[in-house]
Amino acid sequence: MKYYSTNKNSESVSLRDAVIKGLAPDKGLYMPEVIKQLPPAFFHNMKEMSLREISFIVAEAFFGEDVDAGDLKKLVDETLNFDIPLVKVSDRIYSLELFHGPTLAFKDVGARFMARLLGYFMNRESRQTVNVLVATSGDTGSAVANGFLDVPGIKVYVLYPKDKVSKIQEMQFATLGKNITALEVDGTFDDCQSLVKKAFLDKELNEAVKLTSANSINVARFLPQSFYYFYAYAQLAKEQKDPENLVFSVPSGNFGNITAGLFAKRMGLPVKRFIAANNRNDIFLQYLRTGRYEPRPSVTTIANAMDVGDPSNFARVLDLYGSYEAICKDVSGASYTDEQIRETLARVLKVDGYLLDPHGTCGYRALEEGLQPDETGIFLETAHPSKFLETVESITGAQVVIPLRLQEFMLGSKQSLSMPVDFGAFKHFLMNQNK
Ligand SMILES: *Cc1c(COP(=O)(O)O)cnc(C)c1O
């Protein structure tokens, strides 16, 4: 399968090249040339199938031409070594719990799959180690580091600003060791990002060592997010025969997660409509209201993984639908203030006994307000509430139980190396590592 750029100003490339490049040379995002329809028998049999079985069928539709079936099966099985249960929260509203992976957030799915797919391509063609560089302000670093942990042939360098990420976030990528190196940069997140950017542009460095990024817009991180929409439907179908009028509500920041759901619908998944649930950063909602896409600087909220002022995957939504009118038919929007998030999170715990995280809360509330009497709603619970411990505890006034997996990170010992904001030093370090 070929992948084209949403900007249509660079050549279509193979899956391998799309994964290694990440962003197209014209700065567009890669899209598969064909989105295959899945056969009716698949939808019929889905409720008897496991998460891995369903995911493999969806993965084959995207990657089957480029990855050997046996290897693809292994990639899917290794990625999804945790469950994604559907839990009923209140009348006609279900939570798709995407937080049972190693870093307790949905980004684990994409990061784990991408790590394995990249490893697959690299190991087939060379013995040279691939170096993945990632700058992080917290959460991306942990998902990527844990996703790539122990993947042969790949080394990961996580650059993070000293004293500017939370302790628990730091422990999730700085204690791993093995093929993961944490570099504690004596500067800001922007300094980290600039070191990484300079590395990709340095000719001498790129001739000596193989470098790539684990950017969130990468097709290998983006497409696997469609798997669990099918699995959510399958779980609902076990409870309700042929669920009708299904609505997905997706807490959205860069719009990768929801766009993967729109792909699932295009493949034939019977979904009536989607809601993009935002915090106060509501550029997409404004677009739906006015037809004009006007990015603006993000504002800080208590659902901070969605503090995005110019959602990168908007280009994919536009490309998929082709027009404003077509988008409006399938997708609506919602936006909530911190105050509303707090009120809803506290109330759902009290009334329904379900603890939401601040991001999932936006998804829940959008269903609560927008679901029609004949509809069933599923919101994506994108992270475990303990990842936002202080915020959640300050809202509920109760202690949050921290899952064992998260506690275990705190028991590890920090193994970061210090790095000045000096490209020469960073380059020298990378060259020496790969001697
Ligand atoms: C990344 C993230 C989001 C936003 O997902 P997008 O794919 O960027 O829209 C929502 N919730 C949590 C907890 C996240 O980490």
Side-chain angles (χ1 to χ4, degrees), residues 133-153:
L133 305 183
V134 56
T136 187
S137 53
D139 260 6
T140 301
S142 58
V144 169
N146 285 275
F148 282 76
L149 183 65
D150 285 325
V151 177

Side-chain angles (χ1 to χ4, degrees), residues 247-309:
V247 180
F248 275 108
S249 174
V250 187
S252 295
N254 266 320
F255 280 66
N257 212 5
I258 192 170
T259 308
L262 302 176
F263 271 57
K265 179 166 178 172
R266 187 61 64 88
M267 296 169 94
L269 187 68
V271 182
K272 184 177 170 194
R273 61 190 184 94
F274 289 81
I275 307 173
N278 286 138
N279 56 29
R280 282 204 300 125
N281 296 280
D282 64 348
I283 288 78
F284 185 75
L285 180 63
Q286 294 314 321
Y287 167 77
L288 293 176
R289 284 186 180 149
T290 65
R292 285 190 308 274
Y293 181 72
E294 291 171 335
R296 46 169 208 264
S298 65
V299 295
T300 303
T301 75
I302 58 169
N304 62 0
M306 310 196 308
D307 294 352
V308 179

Side-chain angles (χ1 to χ4, degrees), residues 36-303:
K36 287 187 188 153
Q37 283 274 325
L38 296 172
F42 169 62
F43 295 105
H44 192 76
N45 298 333
M46 222 162 36
K47 60 177 177 296
E48 316 296 341
M49 294 166 71
S50 68
L51 169 62
R52 290 175 176 190
E53 286 165 344
I54 289 172
S55 300
F56 175 65
I57 303 277
V58 181
E60 253 198 326
F62 288 123
F63 310 120
E65 290 169 24
D66 302 281
V67 183
D68 169 79
D71 289 316
L72 187 58
K73 181 94 187 57
K74 196 163 155 249
L75 284 178
V76 169
D77 287 352
E78 285 180 8
T79 298
L80 296 164
N81 65 347
F82 51 90
D83 195 22
I84 302 181
L86 187 73
V87 175
K88 188 163 187 179
V89 175
S90 59
D91 186 34
R92 291 177 297 120
I93 300 184
Y94 294 78
S95 167
L96 184 67
E97 293 187 346
L98 288 162
F99 54 67
H100 295 277
T103 72
L104 311 179
F106 84 91
K107 289 186 178 73
D108 282 329
V109 176
R112 290 175 69 78
F113 189 87
M114 182 188 167
R116 282 156 186 81
L117 189 61
L118 188 62
Y120 169 80
F121 284 126
M122 292 292 111
N123 291 327
R124 271 200 325 183
E125 48 198 70
S126 73
R127 300 254 154 252
Q128 200 185 0
T129 304
V130 189
N131 300 276
V132 173
L133 305 183
V134 56
T136 187
S137 53
D139 260 6
T140 301
S142 58
V144 169
N146 285 275
F148 282 76
L149 183 65
D150 285 325
V151 177
I154 301 184
K155 281 187 186 170
V156 176
Y157 297 90
V158 181
L159 288 81
Y160 70 102
K162 183 175 159 68
D163 299 330
K164 291 190 181 68
V165 304
S166 77
K167 189 79 201 153
I168 184 75
Q169 281 175 331
E170 182 180 25
M171 297 305 268
Q172 284 177 73
F173 53 74
T175 57
L176 299 171
K178 298 186 187 171
N179 61 329
I180 312 296
T181 306
L183 297 172
E184 185 173 32
V185 176
D186 200 359
T188 62
F189 170 65
D190 290 339
D191 292 326
C192 297
Q193 207 153 30
S194 129
L195 285 175
V196 168
K197 278 191 181 147
K198 281 184 188 151
F200 287 126
L201 293 173
D202 189 279
K203 201 157 170 275
E204 190 192 8
L205 180 62
N206 284 272
E207 273 164 14
V209 304
K210 223 175 194 155
L211 297 180
T212 188
S213 84
N215 204 302
S216 69
I217 50 88
N218 199 297
V219 288
R221 271 187 69 180
F222 163 67
L223 291 173
Q225 296 172 163
S226 60
F227 300 168
Y228 41 72
Y229 286 90
F230 291 87
Y231 184 56
Y233 177 86
Q235 292 181 78
L236 191 63
K238 268 187 208 162
E239 261 185 57
Q240 311 177 357
K241 200 174 166 300
D242 302 323
E244 275 181 18
N245 301 325
L246 174 58
V247 180
F248 275 108
S249 174
V250 187
S252 295
N254 266 320
F255 280 66
N257 212 5
I258 192 170
T259 308
L262 302 176
F263 271 57
K265 179 166 178 172
R266 187 61 64 88
M267 296 169 94
L269 187 68
V271 182
K272 184 177 170 194
R273 61 190 184 94
F274 289 81
I275 307 173
N278 286 138
N279 56 29
R280 282 204 300 125
N281 296 280
D282 64 348
I283 288 78
F284 185 75
L285 180 63
Q286 294 314 321
Y287 167 77
L288 293 176
R289 284 186 180 149
T290 65
R292 285 190 308 274
Y293 181 72
E294 291 171 335
R296 46 169 208 264
S298 65
V299 295
T300 303
T301 75
I302 58 169

Side-chain angles (χ1 to χ4, degrees), residues 357-372:
D357 97 291
H359 306 78
T361 303
C362 296
Y364 177 88
R365 177 139 177 173
L367 288 175
E368 191 179 56
E369 288 181 356
L371 212 56
Q372 303 299 311

